Amino acid sequence: MSNEVAPRLRSMPTEEERILWAELRKRRVAGLRFRRQHPIGPYTVDFVCLERRFIVEVDGVQHGEPAKSVKDAHRTAWLESRGYCVFRAWNWEIRENLEGVITSMLGELGLLSAAEVTPHPDPPPQGGREGR
């Protein structure tokens, strides 16, 4: 099913996915190759670096809702059980602090020293500043 969904999702990215993709494409982040809207098992992930088994998910306000949070937790657990690291960024973070998101990603990947990394903030409850 994911193989059928991925092309449709690639043709309709959110604004935040477009912004992040502009940074991730063409190996602009640490020389890593990312794919977008890539199927993995029953899921289609927003971005993945297959070489590092590193997934980036871009979350909108709906991901703060309890039912969606439970689904996201199951999805993350399934992906992690297959050896992937799942990194989540909120839409507002990408719009307001793209550099911080990229820095946090590099920290998660172990490509920066602890002194260079600002900790990735915990996701705000109920979508937090999404409404700004």
Side-chain angles (χ1 to χ4, degrees):
M1 179 159 135
S2 291
N3 288 331
E4 300 164 9
V5 173
R8 181 173 49 84
L9 291 173
R10 278 192 290 272
S11 71
M12 306 179 333
T14 65
E15 182 60 27
E16 293 77 14
E17 288 171 345
R18 274 192 277 272
I19 291 167
L20 187 55
W21 181 238
E23 293 298 312
L24 296 179
R25 66 191 301 253
K26 296 185 180 179
R27 300 179 186 259
R28 290 184 179 143
V29 174
L32 299 173
R33 180 173 184 240
F34 281 85
R35 296 175 185 216
R36 65 186 179 101
Q37 300 302 336
H38 185 76
I40 299 175
Y43 302 109
T44 300
V45 300
D46 292 334
F47 302 99
V48 63
C49 174
L50 294 172
E51 173 188 356
R52 293 294 194 109
R53 299 186 73 79
F54 187 77
I55 293 169
V56 180
E57 293 283 60
V58 178
D59 292 344
V61 67
Q62 71 277 12
H63 290 270
E65 297 171 5
K68 185 65 175 163
S69 293
V70 169
K71 286 182 180 180
D72 285 346
H74 288 293
R75 174 185 172 110
T76 297
W78 188 91
L79 291 164
E80 288 176 344
S81 74
R82 270 104 185 134
Y84 289 92
C85 173
V86 179
F87 179 90
R88 291 186 172 276
W90 291 98
N91 283 344
W92 67 265
E93 289 179 293
I94 292 169
R95 287 191 310 268
E96 296 178 17
N97 188 17
L98 180 60
E99 185 177 326
V101 170
I102 299 295
T103 299
S104 293
M105 287 172 49
L106 293 172
E108 287 288 321
L109 284 160
L111 298 174
L112 294 177
S113 70
E116 297 173 291
V117 179
T118 302
H120 185 68
D122 289 334
Q126 302 301 313
R129 296 187 274 183
E130 188 64 34
R132 280 199 209 177

